[in-house]
Amino acid sequence: MNILLTGASGFIGGHILRALEQAGHEAQPVSRRYGVDFQRMLTPEDWLPHLHGIDAVINSVGIIAETRGQTFGALHYRAPAALFRACVMAGVPRVVQISALGADGQAFTPYQLSKKAADDVLRSLPLEWFILRPSLVYGEGGKSAALFRCMASLPLMPLVGDGKQRIQPVHVSDVVATVLQCLQAASARRTLDVVGAYPLTFVDWLQSMRRDVGKQPALTMPIPSKLIMAAAHVGRFIVPMLHPDNLRMLQRGNTADVQLLAEFLGRMPLSVEEAP
Ligand SMILES: NC(=O)c1ccc[n+]([C@@H]2O[C@H](COP(=O)([O-])OP(=O)(O)OC[C@H]3O[C@@H](n4cnc5c(N)ncnc54)[C@H](OP(=O)(O)O)[C@@H]3O)[C@@H](O)[C@H]2O)c1
């Protein structure tokens, strides 16, 4: 297939790009590195020249926090919505949208709401669409997992509150496998939560990262949520990922039923113990 892949220079997009090439697909990469800025791709007409001869579109552009000139409204909603509408106009049949777990009826942060807005546009269009909502994604090149690995390596591990937030991290190879399956699945128009084999607490995940590198469990240092939140209001200007909204999403938890994904893949996704 000839596939337009947005976000091809990113963590997940990069893994998808390599897998597409290995599977013999032709991939047209899109991102600022390839000369296309979503902030300037806000109408279907902007996208039409990119869609000649394209069989499927995979959208993997996203940001975890807004910065100057990078808005959720444009990157998560307006540019993808324009791209999806352009697919209808150009006769591109299949679209795979990388959304995020929590972009549903309970969405409460601008990150989740902007993802959901684009997902809702896609659902309304006459396309073979797949909306994938990954939990925290980890694997080679992942930025958030690298930050958590760094926390896990400390002899005294700082935790947000009691560290008992429930999460269900998914390995990037399972996200890629799900995308590849979307390209060939006979029945489309599906929303899938892309999660790891089972939920665990945040502190247990950090301790398992220590085990992986042969370290003993660390002592933990619970930091009251209010204090972390106050620090995040300043810290986000240095590390955008530390935005208070991201801490709120972590506090709410990030888990889902794995069964639909397991049926779609024909196997269970990896657990954190099994992942490479
Ligand atoms: N990583 C996770 O844990 C996770 C979990 C759930 C959902 N997701 C979603 O998965 C998608 C990919 O995430 P990721 O972790 O791979 O993020 P990433 O590594 O930060 O990659 C983001 C991609 O978006 C591109 N991009 C950013 N601003 C752009 C702009 N103005 N115009 C065009 N392209 C732009 C970047 O390329 P350039 O810099 O070259 O423009 C890059 O290719 C996102 O939608 C994210 O919300 C990720």
Side-chain angles (χ1 to χ4, degrees):
M1 290 169 92
N2 193 10
I3 296 166
L4 183 100
L5 171 64
T6 76
S9 58
F11 163 47
I12 296 174
H15 281 271
I16 296 173
L17 180 62
R18 287 187 285 282
L20 290 177
E21 286 168 353
Q22 273 164 22
H25 296 294
E26 199 58 43
Q28 314 301 330
V30 163
S31 78
R32 288 170 302 176
R33 183 186 296 178
Y34 299 99
V36 181
D37 186 341
F38 265 36
Q39 293 282 149
R40 299 202 187 89
M41 302 294 286
L42 304 179
T43 69
E45 290 69 26
D46 292 327
W47 284 106
L48 287 175
H50 296 268
L51 295 177
H52 293 304
I54 294 293
D55 303 305
V57 163
I58 303 168
N59 177 37
S60 184
V61 162
I63 48 174
I64 190 62
E66 293 186 316
T67 53
R68 195 192 298 250
Q70 290 275 86
T71 63
F72 289 137
L75 269 67
H76 286 179
Y77 171 52
R78 290 176 61 205
L83 171 58
F84 305 152
R85 291 193 171 105
C87 287
V88 177
M89 291 160 74
V92 175
R94 194 159 282 220
V95 174
V96 183
Q97 151 81 337
I98 312 285
S99 180
L101 200 61
D104 54 25
Q106 272 73 53
F108 69 106
T109 61
Y111 170 85
Q112 294 170 330
L113 289 164
S114 56
K115 289 270 184 193
K116 180 178 181 300
D119 299 353
D120 286 343
V121 170
L122 183 55
R123 287 187 187 100
S124 74
L125 295 174
L127 291 164
E128 296 167 3
W129 54 259
F130 292 84
I131 294 166
L132 305 184
R133 297 193 299 213
S135 171
L136 271 167
V137 183
Y138 65 100
E140 203 187 319
K143 282 175 240 150
S144 48
L147 177 70
F148 299 142
R149 242 194 329 275
C150 179
M151 284 168 71
S153 69
L154 301 171
L156 188 60
M157 280 187 330
L159 298 177
V160 180
D162 61 5
K164 296 280 178 74
Q165 302 85 4
R166 280 164 60 78
I167 54 172
Q168 202 164 350
V170 60
H171 192 261
V172 67
S173 62
D174 281 331
V175 180
V176 170
T178 310
V179 170
L180 291 183
Q181 182 63 17
C182 291
L183 294 178
Q184 61 177 39
S187 119
R189 302 180 75 82
R190 302 186 63 163
T191 300
L192 281 169
D193 292 333
V194 183
V195 291
Y198 57 80
L200 71 171
T201 63
F202 187 66
V203 61
D204 286 345
W205 191 35
L206 295 188
Q207 298 287 23
S208 85
M209 287 182 194
R210 292 180 69 84
R211 270 199 309 277
D212 287 347
V213 292
K215 286 189 169 159
Q216 294 295 313
L219 291 174
T220 57
M221 180 175 56
I223 303 177
S225 305
K226 277 189 182 155
L227 190 61
I228 292 240
M229 217 47 103
H233 278 284
V234 181
R236 73 186 172 116
F237 294 108
I238 302 158
V239 183
M241 200 189 300
L242 295 179
H243 193 287
D245 279 347
N246 295 335
L247 294 174
R248 288 189 193 102
M249 288 192 287
L250 176 67
Q251 289 287 59
R252 163 127 354 152
N254 205 239
T255 64
D257 187 351
V258 72
Q259 214 46 51
L260 276 181
L261 176 68
E263 281 165 23
F264 188 69
L265 288 175
R267 61 167 174 85
M268 280 293 279
L270 299 172
S271 66
V272 293
E273 282 83 15
E274 292 164 330

